[in-house]
Amino acid sequence: MAVVIRLLLLLLPVGLLLGCAAIPAAVEAPPDDDAPGLAAAARDADTHRGKRIRWGGTIAGVENRTDQTLVEVVFRPLDRDSRPRTTDTSDGRFLAVIPGFVDPAIYEQGRDITVSGHLDGATRRQVGDYRYNYPRVQVEGHHLWPKPVLVYREPPPYGWHDPWYRPWWDDPWHPHYRPFRRW
């Protein structure tokens, strides 16, 4: 009996750590081992056609068509939970082709999204006056990440510092302390 309890106590932390894996079910299918990065797919889309990828980023625009939706995404590297990182660097943009209708009020500009699917060539479109080569992803699964919530905290009654804090000019143990003296 003691051996079983010891074994359970050893396996409990492992089970808790495995339970913390937060990759959403819609995008948990792993990409191919030889899946290209965005820059390689943009350079030579036909060579990488059909490769399974998992990319993510920030939505730049949504265009609904009769039977599918084109979501323009600014690429961001993914963290271990497949969430796009908050960073100022990007390898470029890609088009996520989602079957059916996607509401642009929910999939709005600035939201983070992760998609998994297959590369399906490239499309040339305008970004301002620049002709840009977008790799196109036929989406099999996608996850729209929740908006970050900003929380405002009231300052404590004594301010943000410790109520027992004393500045150096009022601390008799500080080497530069000089009390005000009248002569």
Side-chain angles (χ1 to χ4, degrees), residues 20-31 53-58 73 75-86 94 112-116 141-146:
C20 291
I23 296 177
V27 293
E28 71 182 353
I53 57 94
R54 178 171 43 203
W55 288 343
T58 305
V73 181
F75 178 83
R76 303 270 190 253
L78 301 177
D79 64 10
R80 65 185 182 128
D81 295 333
S82 293
R83 184 180 189 130
R85 293 185 185 147
T86 304
F94 66 94
D112 287 342
I113 189 169
T114 302
V115 300
S116 75
H142 68 280
H143 183 76
L144 186 67
W145 295 93

Side-chain angles (χ1 to χ4, degrees), residues 84-103:
R85 293 185 185 147
T86 304
T87 177
D88 288 338
T89 61
S90 175
D91 289 345
R93 297 176 178 217
F94 66 94
L95 283 177
V97 182
I98 300 175
F101 174 77
V102 170
D103 194 344

Side-chain angles (χ1 to χ4, degrees), residues 3-172:
V3 173
V4 172
I5 292 174
R6 285 183 188 167
L7 183 62
L8 287 175
L9 288 175
L10 286 174
L11 293 178
L12 182 65
V14 174
L16 289 174
L17 288 175
L18 289 176
C20 291
I23 296 177
V27 293
E28 71 182 353
D32 289 342
D33 292 335
D34 59 344
L38 182 73
R43 274 193 312 272
D44 193 9
D46 291 332
T47 303
H48 301 294
R49 187 182 297 267
K51 299 280 173 122
R52 178 178 253 318
I53 57 94
R54 178 171 43 203
W55 288 343
T58 305
I59 295 175
V62 175
E63 181 183 326
N64 281 302
R65 299 207 172 155
T66 56
D67 58 342
Q68 64 188 7
T69 301
L70 300 178
V71 180
E72 182 180 341
V73 181
V74 177
F75 178 83
R76 303 270 190 253
L78 301 177
D79 64 10
R80 65 185 182 128
D81 295 333
S82 293
R83 184 180 189 130
R85 293 185 185 147
T86 304
T87 177
D88 288 338
T89 61
S90 175
D91 289 345
R93 297 176 178 217
F94 66 94
L95 283 177
V97 182
I98 300 175
F101 174 77
V102 170
D103 194 344
I106 296 172
Y107 288 73
E108 63 188 345
Q109 185 175 356
R111 295 280 303 264
D112 287 342
I113 189 169
T114 302
V115 300
S116 75
H118 290 89
L119 284 174
D120 185 32
T123 303
R124 291 194 62 83
R125 297 177 66 161
Q126 293 287 123
V127 177
D129 291 336
Y130 185 76
R131 297 278 300 160
Y132 189 80
N133 196 30
Y134 288 89
R136 198 172 49 245
V137 178
Q138 291 295 329
V139 175
E140 296 171 357
H142 68 280
H143 183 76
L144 186 67
W145 295 93
K147 294 178 187 179
V149 177
L150 298 175
V151 178
Y152 174 75
R153 287 183 31 199
E154 279 291 324
Y158 298 108
W160 288 108
H161 59 74
D162 182 5
W164 301 107
Y165 170 76
R166 296 178 77 175
W168 66 269
W169 59 84
D170 193 28
D171 185 2

